Amino acid sequence: MPDSTALGCRVTGSHLHVLRRENPNGAWAKRQQSAAPGKAKPVDFLVVQAHDQYVIERMALPHGTASDFVLVNLFAEPLGAPMSPDGVTELLQRLSKRAGLSRIVNPHMLRHAMASNVADAGGNLDEVAALLDHARLSSAEPYLHPDPDRLRQAVDRVPSPRELAGGFR
């Protein structure tokens, strides 16, 4: 939702709260404990739109309301149960093939893509680390894969010695 104040949430903008709890399929949130109130993770419009579409599809199925977990098995057994980590990986593999991608996407690649996209959009390393739930900035560095156009722009911003001396570039 763009604004969750009607639900009693004081965090502004579209976001999610990570709640670490017992999961029947053995999956855990990466974070060791639930996020403190006010420590929600912001999400963009595309995430909200994709989740809305998923919920519409999910609620149309008789077993779609069997669990309050974010992702549940809609077409694989056990129907309505929380999706396992392997189930998410298999789903992304099938979607990668269906989309005709040159390589198979796995869940961890989504973290790398998000981190790189934030950096390419001007985000700082501390922002990337916070979004990834990394305590140390250095832990976020391997997730950054700069866009080649951004690298070109970085080189183009460096003035040449001639330019600094007042001559032509």
Side-chain angles (χ1 to χ4, degrees):
M1 298 174 62
D3 179 22
S4 299
T5 54
L7 301 174
C9 183
R10 293 180 291 201
V11 178
T12 58
S14 300
H15 62 278
L16 62 89
H17 295 269
V18 176
L19 177 63
R20 187 174 171 91
R21 61 182 172 157
E22 193 66 36
N23 186 334
N25 66 24
W28 287 99
K30 190 161 182 94
R31 163 182 276 285
Q32 293 301 312
Q33 63 273 347
S34 295
K39 293 288 187 177
K41 296 298 178 187
V43 296
D44 68 5
F45 173 76
L46 293 176
V47 170
V48 173
Q49 188 176 27
H51 184 261
D52 286 349
Q53 185 62 41
Y54 168 74
V55 168
I56 290 168
E57 181 177 357
R58 176 178 168 171
M59 292 302 131
L61 299 171
H63 53 274
T65 59
S67 173
D68 64 348
F69 279 78
V70 174
L71 297 175
V72 299
N73 295 327
L74 298 181
F75 305 106
E77 293 295 335
L79 294 174
M83 192 177 288
S84 69
D86 288 343
V88 174
T89 299
E90 290 169 14
L91 175 64
L92 287 175
Q93 288 173 345
R94 286 194 311 273
L95 292 173
S96 298
K97 289 176 184 173
R98 187 187 309 169
L101 300 179
S102 61
R103 62 192 281 199
I104 301 296
V105 174
N106 66 53
H108 196 71
M109 291 168 76
L110 301 178
R111 286 176 62 82
H112 282 263
M114 186 277 303
S116 292
N117 288 343
V118 168
D120 287 341
N124 295 319
L125 187 58
D126 64 326
E127 295 164 331
V128 172
L131 289 168
L132 294 175
D133 261 339
H134 288 163
R136 293 185 308 273
L137 295 181
S138 60
S139 297
E141 290 172 353
Y143 286 82
L144 302 179
H145 311 283
D147 181 273
D149 291 338
R150 188 165 62 96
L151 295 176
R152 173 81 263 158
Q153 293 167 4
V155 170
D156 289 346
R157 285 192 304 267
V158 177
S160 72
R162 288 183 183 163
E163 192 175 37
L164 289 173
F168 294 107
R169 191 168 189 190

